């Protein structure tokens, strides 16, 4: 019998290290799969709860919050992109990229918990924000990830 392991992940959709950390954890859990079964629960954490709805230029935000220079930002983006690529995740950073308030995305993830679909939705939201460069605060952008979940669920029920 496999040993259950509960893992709570405190994360924000706009955190690149969160998707890198999750994918690294997932690989490690796969190696332990014969011995354990992991139950992952996503807990909300807003990196920028006071971020206005229109967001802010990411470079401007990183400079204000951490004092990052353009060179610092470029170096970090390259490192994040390389780490993501090694784990099979594509980051599409742009110089005019923005960071947004993610409160409503966390509400959606809370809703998905009742269907045991948090991880699938969280991964879709990471892809939406970092790979497709869509705005996670706009509800119409949720349609594609939600349709994927609904289609999978419908197929599984048949």
């Amino acid at each position: 019998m496999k040993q259950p392991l509960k893992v709570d992940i405190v994360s924000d959709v706009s955190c690149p290290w969160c998707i890198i950390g999750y994918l690294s954890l997932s690989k490690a859990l796969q190696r332990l799969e014969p011995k354990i079964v992991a139950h992952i629960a996503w807990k909300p954490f807003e990196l920028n709860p006071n971020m206005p709805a229109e967001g802010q230029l990411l470079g401007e935000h990183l400079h204000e919050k951490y004092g990052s220079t353009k060179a610092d930002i470029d170096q970090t983006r390259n490192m994040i992109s390389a780490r993501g690529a090694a784990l099979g995740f594509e980051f599409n950073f742009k110089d005019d990229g923005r960071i947004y308030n993610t409160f409503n995305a966390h509400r959606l993830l809370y809703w998905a918990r009742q269907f045991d679909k948090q991880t699938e939705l969280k991964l879709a939201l990471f892809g939406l924000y970092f790979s497709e460069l869509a705005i996670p605060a706009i509800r119409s952008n949720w349609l594609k990830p939600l349709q994927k979940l609904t289609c999978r669920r419908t197929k599984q029920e048949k």
Side-chain angles (χ1 to χ4, degrees):
M1 185 168 143
K2 293 182 181 184
Q3 181 72 28
L5 174 67
K6 184 176 185 235
V7 180
D8 290 336
I9 301 175
V10 180
S11 164
D12 195 352
V13 173
S14 65
C15 171
W17 294 112
C18 293
I19 180 60
I20 288 170
Y22 169 76
L23 293 173
S24 298
L25 173 66
S26 183
K27 286 182 86 168
L29 290 173
Q30 286 174 358
R31 289 193 297 269
L32 296 172
E33 201 169 74
K35 297 176 183 174
I36 66 163
V37 59
H39 301 281
I40 295 175
W42 294 89
K43 306 296 183 186
F45 179 79
E46 286 184 87
L47 286 172
N48 304 292
N50 297 321
M51 183 65 63
E54 69 276 7
Q56 182 181 18
L57 287 171
L58 183 57
E60 177 184 275
H61 173 75
L62 293 173
H63 178 72
E64 287 176 9
K65 191 169 183 176
Y66 304 111
S68 302
T69 66
K70 171 87 168 93
D72 295 333
I73 294 167
D74 289 343
Q75 181 181 11
T76 302
R77 282 181 179 175
N78 290 336
M79 181 176 34
I80 289 170
S81 294
R83 294 278 304 271
L87 294 165
F89 188 85
E90 181 181 11
F91 287 95
N92 289 317
F93 293 114
K94 295 182 349 180
D95 284 339
D96 64 345
R98 299 182 76 78
I99 189 163
Y100 298 93
N101 185 295
T102 56
F103 179 76
N104 284 330
H106 290 293
R107 292 174 62 203
L108 184 63
L109 285 160
Y110 179 81
W111 169 84
R113 183 174 66 179
Q114 67 186 318
F115 304 107
D116 197 29
K117 296 292 182 184
Q118 272 192 312
T119 296
E120 285 181 66
L121 182 58
K122 186 73 168 199
L123 294 175
L125 291 172
F126 278 133
L128 182 75
Y129 182 67
F130 290 114
S131 302
E132 299 175 33
L133 304 178
I135 302 169
I138 297 178
R139 290 180 183 174
S140 61
N141 287 337
W142 300 347
L143 292 177
K144 188 176 175 183
L146 287 174
Q147 286 171 338
K148 287 180 186 177
L149 294 181
T150 303
C151 290
R152 284 190 200 119
R153 186 171 182 212
T154 303
K155 288 177 185 175
Q156 290 171 353
E157 290 173 354
K158 289 183 180 181

